[in-house]
Amino acid sequence: MFKKTVPILLIIIYLTGFLISFPYIYDNLFGAEKWESIRNIFEYGIMFCSFLVFNALLLKNKYTSVIAVILCLLLSVNFLISASCFFIYHSGFNVGMAISILESNMNEAMSMSYMFILPGILFFVFLGLLLFSVNYLKKNAVAFNTKFVIIALLWLLMPFTFYLKHRYVSNKGGGKMIKSVYYHLSDFTTALKIQEDINTIKKNIPVFNIKKIQSGIENVILIIGESERKQNMSLYGYAKKTTPYTDQQAENMMIFDHAVSPAGITNLSVPLMLSSIHPDEFRYRYDKLSYNIINMANQSGYNSFWLSTQASARGITAIASMSKNKKWVNGYDEVIIPELKKVIQKKEDKFIVLHIMGSHPNPCNRLPANWNSGDLNCYDSSIKYTDYVFKNIFSTLKNTNSVVIYASDHGLKIQGDKLLHIDSKESTQVPFFVWFGDKVPAPYRITGHEVRQTQTTYIYPLIMKYMGLEPPQHYKNEENKYLNLEMKSMEYGKLPE
């Protein structure tokens, strides 16, 4: 009796994974579109049952049984993604997450591996139940006859039917998601296409309509932080002393009190910060990323440098690759300081990007072994360590004609003891400030507090200003459009808290 119930239990588990990956389908069960949600669940249930029969038939032959095992393994990976999103990020899956997975590197994966223990266990449970069910059906329920062959082919025929329906009949959402038993496949194919499109920016060198109106600052330096919440910085009023040195420099800075990021993950927010592409264009006109601040610096007489402690990420690295000088260094963020000192010695106009690890998950891994965290948790301690890096950078630049612009790529939302990358106002609130060296000319030295809400895409015209260029009269930061994890542009005000 137990063996007969395992396939039924497995179907329930599979559909649960589907629903937690697409929570709007579950939510719609209690709304006006409940019949559409029921239809979706029914369709995916049929495809999964067909998948089981298909693999049971494959197992009847020793040569095709290998294919069955591979197909089951891939479906288990599909379930692993669902479980990981639910238990780690408390959200469904989307294209933005697919991009992050494709652009992950081994070091990043290892640093976050502890978070995948429970999803990993569930992966093996699902795989075990799947292989058991397929083997049970092979021995007790299916045979090579017309009926079972037709059932076995449904999971392959239905996606093709959905494609024809979307292509030639109707497509309610305007998208191109084609239903498949591997329900995450569509997001990954979209993400791969995005990566291909972004690579085209390397081949498109634009000509900027720029006008030099005064001498620029000698060293224009942009520091891109990682996953830093302004809510956890004493510079912004946090009770714990997490930014003691930066606090002392406050009178020498322009501090943006209400800065927000244009997206919730690095691979979207940093390209939006560094280029003039609009969020409305991001999904369809990636070639416009070529209109970025690196290319502008190159064409305005500045020598460009990209120094990074972060491993390469294809979309961002495509922009970085346009720098005349680029270097990725291994180690904790402080290893970037000697590289900066070498660059500063050059007597020329320079635009320098420092892309640091900051508080990237897992923040415990961002701290040197001898770092004294005191009574701070790992996240707050990583912010204090970043402040220590700033201390050394500011000391290096104190007696120079240098301006330092700092902003984090995005923030994080706190739920319980978890730090989440999701679409919310809380996870977009970021630090953003400008620091001045002693030799910066007076017309550029504007300090104080900007109390208006400012999107960090303002970095683009701000850098133009510090290079002595005429900035645009109006720029996309004024609209405050947000690019969500579904790769759709939306009004920032409509984000959930």
Side-chain angles (χ1 to χ4, degrees):
M1 181 65 183
F2 170 75
K3 292 182 179 180
K4 292 182 180 180
T5 61
V6 171
I8 298 173
L9 174 64
L10 183 64
I11 294 170
I12 296 172
I13 294 174
Y14 171 81
L15 290 175
T16 300
F18 166 69
L19 289 174
I20 62 177
S21 287
F22 302 100
Y24 66 88
I25 293 178
Y26 175 79
D27 294 338
N28 288 343
L29 280 172
F30 308 97
E33 298 182 353
K34 63 180 178 181
W35 292 113
E36 183 175 348
S37 290
I38 292 172
R39 177 175 56 80
N40 273 295
I41 294 170
F42 181 70
E43 288 167 347
Y44 278 93
I46 289 177
M47 285 191 291
F48 182 62
C49 291
S50 171
F51 178 85
L52 294 178
V53 174
F54 182 87
N55 285 282
L57 293 177
L58 290 182
L59 280 185
K60 287 182 175 291
N61 181 286
K62 65 179 181 179
Y63 298 108
T64 58
S65 60
V66 175
I67 299 174
V69 173
I70 293 173
L71 291 174
C72 289
L73 180 62
L74 291 174
L75 193 67
S76 299
V77 171
N78 186 86
F79 179 78
L80 170 64
I81 294 171
S82 298
S84 299
C85 289
F86 180 76
F87 288 105
I88 298 174
Y89 301 112
H90 300 281
S91 73
F93 192 69
N94 48 57
V95 173
M97 290 181 177
I99 294 174
S100 293
I101 291 173
L102 292 173
E103 295 188 348
S104 293
N105 56 78
M106 185 56 68
N107 289 335
E108 187 175 56
M110 290 301 295
S111 71
M112 299 179 68
S113 59
Y114 75 101
M115 303 172 73
F116 293 90
I117 294 176
L118 177 57
I121 292 172
L122 293 175
F123 161 79
F124 285 109
V125 170
F126 185 86
L127 178 59
L129 292 175
L130 184 54
L131 293 174
F132 178 89
S133 298
V134 169
N135 189 57
Y136 173 80
L137 292 174
K138 179 199 81 169
K139 294 179 177 179
N140 301 281
V142 300
F144 277 110
N145 59 46
T146 303
K147 178 180 69 173
F148 283 111
V149 169
I150 292 174
I151 293 173
L153 292 176
L154 284 176
W155 77 280
L156 295 172
L157 295 174
M158 288 177 69
F160 181 66
T161 303
F162 293 134
Y163 169 78
L164 293 178
K165 181 254 184 185
H166 277 233
R167 183 75 171 81
Y168 298 108
V169 181
S170 66
N171 188 352
K172 180 180 178 182
K176 63 173 186 177
M177 187 199 83
I178 305 303
K179 298 172 185 177
S180 165
V181 68
Y182 296 97
Y183 46 79
H184 291 315
L185 182 61
S186 177
D187 287 324
F188 277 103
T189 55
T190 301
L192 285 169
K193 181 61 170 64
I194 289 170
Q195 287 185 324
E196 292 173 5
D197 290 340
I198 286 180
N199 281 337
T200 63
I201 74 173
K202 294 182 180 180
K203 304 174 184 177
N204 181 26
I205 306 301
V207 177
F208 292 90
N209 182 21
I210 52 179
K211 181 180 179 181
K212 192 85 169 180
I213 56 176
Q214 59 184 332
S215 297
I217 295 173
E218 181 181 351
N219 303 307
V220 180
I221 300 164
L222 171 64
I223 304 177
I224 304 172
E226 172 68 54
S227 302
E228 184 162 17
R229 291 164 45 93
K230 77 167 192 179
Q231 300 96 318
N232 289 65
M233 300 174 65
S234 52
L235 180 68
Y236 286 90
Y238 189 49
K240 297 179 181 179
K241 206 69 174 173
T242 52
T243 56
Y245 186 78
T246 309
D247 295 348
Q248 296 174 17
Q249 294 291 305
E251 292 185 359
N252 187 40
M253 298 193 302
M254 167 59 72
I255 302 173
F256 295 84
D257 291 338
H258 302 288
V260 295
S261 62
I265 60 173
T266 309
N267 304 317
L268 302 182
S269 63
V270 173
L272 284 168
M273 289 162 57
L274 299 185
S275 74
S276 60
I277 192 171
H278 193 279
D280 292 346
E281 303 170 314
F282 200 93
R283 188 165 186 151
Y284 308 103
R285 289 299 310 274
Y286 306 107
D287 60 304
K288 286 194 173 183
L289 286 177
S290 60
Y291 285 83
N292 60 65
I293 202 66
I294 298 292
N295 276 334
M296 181 179 292
N298 293 338
Q299 292 189 26
S300 61
Y302 274 73
N303 195 2
S304 55
F305 298 80
W306 186 286
L307 305 173
S308 177
T309 55
Q310 288 225 21
S312 61
R314 190 171 298 176
I316 298 167
T317 306
I319 296 176
S321 67
M322 297 174 189
S323 298
K324 295 178 181 178
N325 309 272
K326 42 198 170 285
K327 187 172 185 179
W328 282 263
V329 290
N330 295 321
Y332 299 103
D333 283 338
E334 60 193 89
V335 300
I336 212 166
I337 297 167
E339 302 296 333
L340 176 62
K341 289 180 177 179
K342 294 176 189 176
V343 173
I344 292 301
Q345 293 174 5
K346 302 176 185 290
K347 296 302 178 181
E348 59 183 352
D349 287 343
K350 300 174 286 294
F351 175 56
I352 307 165
V353 177
L354 307 179
H355 192 193
I356 62 176
M357 289 297 289
S359 300
H360 192 292
N362 176 11
C364 297
N365 295 339
R366 309 304 161 209
L367 306 170
N370 61 351
W371 179 253
N372 181 12
S373 296
D375 61 348
L376 299 176
N377 60 33
C378 284
Y379 184 76
D380 284 348
S381 190
S382 70
I383 293 176
K384 191 171 183 179
Y385 176 66
T386 299
D387 180 73
Y388 164 76
V389 174
F390 286 162
K391 175 182 178 180
N392 286 276
I393 291 175
F394 295 158
S395 297
T396 299
L397 301 173
K398 177 174 173 53
N399 296 313
T400 65
N401 180 11
S402 303
V403 61
V404 176
I405 305 164
Y406 172 70
S408 183
D409 55 355
H410 56 78
L412 295 165
K413 185 175 180 65
I414 294 180
Q415 285 189 357
D417 60 349
K418 297 185 182 300
L419 298 166
L420 307 179
H421 294 72
I422 60 175
D423 293 322
S424 71
K425 289 179 180 175
E426 179 182 343
S427 57
T428 64
Q429 297 177 41
V430 292
F432 180 19
F433 60 75
V434 181
W435 177 92
F436 301 97
D438 291 345
K439 295 183 179 179
V440 170
Y444 287 116
R445 186 184 294 276
I446 301 174
T447 60
H449 289 260
E450 174 56 73
V451 297
R452 292 173 297 180
Q453 187 178 80
T454 308
Q455 191 181 72
T456 52
T457 53
Y458 177 58
I459 285 172
Y460 189 94
L462 188 62
I463 288 173
M464 291 183 68
K465 171 186 172 183
Y466 292 140
M467 288 181 179
L469 305 175
E470 183 178 47
Q473 290 185 346
H474 298 284
Y475 194 64
K476 63 184 178 184
N477 62 285
E478 296 175 356
E479 299 178 40
N480 204 7
K481 286 285 191 76
Y482 179 86
L483 188 63
N484 66 23
L485 290 174
E486 296 289 345
M487 302 289 291
K488 296 177 181 177
S489 176
M490 62 181 292
E491 299 292 335
Y492 178 80
K494 294 182 180 179
L495 272 175
E497 295 297 328

